[in-house]
Amino acid sequence: MGDPFKKVQRGDRLRIPAGTFNTFIDAAKDFRNRTQNVARQRQLDLPQTGIILVKNGTADDLERFHVLGIDRPIFTPGESLFSFQDQIAVVGITPTEDDHLGRFLVLQEPLRSGMIGRACVSGVTPVRLNVLDEEHDWADIEDGETDSLKTDTAGSAFVLWKEPPSGGYGGSGYGYGYGYYGSLRWALVRIGNLSDGDQWGTI
């Protein structure tokens, strides 16, 4: 019996035995099934956490816990549907009140301009606050600022804890990581909330 997978030369008359053709079909079906299984497995393994990837779309190198407004996905469905589905990753820019109230994230690592890193879009994270009123329990982006959120009577970040007015570390004027940062205070906030001002019903 001849080799069913013997290659042909240019110009040879093509004859495909039934067994060879059926083997090709089986191989194609196997490839299709394995590809679909991988896609399903990727979907199952995709971590649905509050940490996503962000590209620093500003011109500045930013420190850990700086704030960026969410501009768009890095890959839109029109550019690459597979990349859009396979990895949640967005471009972050300097936030504005017109476009980014409730649409922001907090960096979880230092990030140079144009680079990609991790950021918190939902959940609890440290961040600096511009405390406008001690009675404020909520915070959201501050127009044109990447180094902090500002407090308010409503917002998408609930303030779990913030430094006391004295700073708690011996006063203001300390550098990054040591309490005050200029006039700002360190806090713990929970991102991804409906504030009192945004609720449309009660349970």
Side-chain angles (χ1 to χ4, degrees), residues 54-55 69-76 79 89-93 100:
V54 61
K55 178 180 179 180
I70 297 174
D71 183 38
R72 62 177 180 86
I74 291 179
F75 295 102
T76 65
E79 295 168 335
V90 299
V91 176
I93 60 176
H100 301 117

Side-chain angles (χ1 to χ4, degrees), residues 20-120:
T20 303
F21 182 81
N22 290 337
T23 300
F24 290 157
I25 296 298
D26 290 340
K29 288 182 176 179
D30 178 66
F31 176 78
R32 182 187 62 187
N33 292 336
R34 286 188 288 110
T35 302
Q36 291 175 343
N37 287 337
V38 168
R40 282 194 293 266
Q41 189 62 38
R42 279 184 175 149
Q43 187 175 19
L44 291 174
D45 292 342
L46 186 65
Q48 297 298 325
T49 69
I51 303 297
I52 65 173
L53 295 179
V54 61
K55 178 180 179 180
N56 180 359
T58 75
D60 301 318
D61 297 340
L62 301 179
E63 298 286 350
R64 189 183 184 194
F65 305 124
H66 273 209
V67 178
L68 288 173
I70 297 174
D71 183 38
R72 62 177 180 86
I74 291 179
F75 295 102
T76 65
E79 295 168 335
S80 174
L81 181 59
F82 178 81
S83 297
F84 173 79
Q85 295 173 336
D86 195 51
Q87 179 65 68
I88 299 175
V90 299
V91 176
I93 60 176
T94 301
T96 65
E97 289 188 355
D98 288 339
D99 298 324
H100 301 117
L101 286 174
R103 296 185 178 92
F104 66 87
L105 41 74
V106 178
L107 296 181
Q108 299 299 291
E109 56 188 312
L111 197 57
R112 293 189 176 187
S113 176
M115 302 302 289
I116 296 175
R118 297 175 303 120
C120 179

